[in-house]
Amino acid sequence: MGKIYTISKKAPGTNDIVPKLLVETAVNIVKPLCMIFTQSLCVGVVPNPWKLANVCAIFKKGTKSDSGNYRPVSLTSHVCKVLESILRDKITDHLEKWSISLSSQHGFMKQKSCLTNLLEFLEYSCKYVDNGEPVDVIYLDFQKAFDKVPHCRLMLKLETLGVG
């Protein structure tokens, strides 16, 4: 496997597979992966190796001796990431097709990002300021919000929106 590392600048996942290997062998592995993905979705079980992650600490800023200045990065299975991206695309297509998501939604939406959200907010604020109207802003930090959501309730909500 040593040669594989030299052909890609992306770090390998827990199974030592780099993304470039998947790209270069796509023609040969697409059918077996499709079968694995289909089986996983049908039985509702993710293969155990896909649940593993190598966690690395990446320095952000400040003093290197302060552990709070590092953020954890999980190196996971690239094969699992392929399935996750397929699911993400299908879910966002469904939400867009049935107009379920709001136009103000920027996260996980095509051609939208934190930047487009900030630009939209700036335009909105400037419009009111230019008209001499007051603008109040409240910032909320929903750190680890997803970790605190009851997942059973989330799954029920998704099902009511047609996402099984």
Side-chain angles (χ1 to χ4, degrees):
M1 284 288 200
K3 292 180 182 176
I4 295 172
Y5 299 132
T6 61
I7 64 171
S8 175
K9 293 183 181 183
K10 296 280 185 185
T14 53
N15 52 11
D16 289 334
I17 295 176
V18 291
K20 189 165 184 168
L21 178 66
L22 295 176
V23 171
E24 290 180 354
T25 61
V27 173
N28 297 320
I29 65 171
V30 69
K31 285 185 182 178
L33 280 182
C34 185
M35 291 169 53
I36 293 168
F37 292 168
T38 302
Q39 183 66 20
S40 176
L41 293 171
C42 286
V43 298
V45 176
V46 175
N48 284 330
W50 294 1
K51 298 176 189 177
L52 301 175
N54 293 331
V55 181
C56 301
I58 304 294
F59 178 69
K60 294 188 294 186
K61 61 181 177 180
T63 310
K64 290 195 175 193
S65 60
D66 181 1
S67 63
N69 293 331
Y70 291 81
R71 67 179 173 94
V73 173
S74 298
L75 302 174
T76 57
S77 166
H78 291 295
V79 173
C80 186
K81 288 179 186 178
V82 171
L83 177 58
E84 289 170 353
S85 68
I86 292 168
L87 290 174
R88 182 202 60 230
D89 292 346
K90 290 295 182 187
I91 290 170
T92 54
D93 288 348
H94 176 82
L95 295 175
E96 289 172 7
K97 177 182 177 183
W98 297 103
S99 301
I100 295 172
S101 60
L102 301 173
S103 62
S104 60
Q105 171 73 32
H106 285 256
F108 305 102
M109 300 302 289
K110 292 174 186 170
Q111 299 180 339
K112 290 190 175 184
S113 65
C114 289
L115 178 60
T116 60
N117 191 6
L118 288 170
L119 291 172
E120 192 173 293
F121 170 75
L122 180 63
E123 181 181 344
Y124 176 85
S125 301
C126 287
K127 181 176 80 174
Y128 282 94
V129 170
D130 289 346
N131 291 333
E133 298 179 43
V135 176
D136 294 326
V137 179
I138 299 172
Y139 292 98
L140 300 173
D141 182 3
F142 293 109
Q143 184 179 15
K144 299 193 179 204
F146 185 74
D147 296 342
K148 295 178 173 118
V149 172
H151 290 149
C152 292
R153 191 180 308 162
L154 177 62
M155 295 304 290
L156 287 172
K157 181 69 174 174
L158 286 170
E159 285 179 25
T160 62
L161 295 172
V163 179

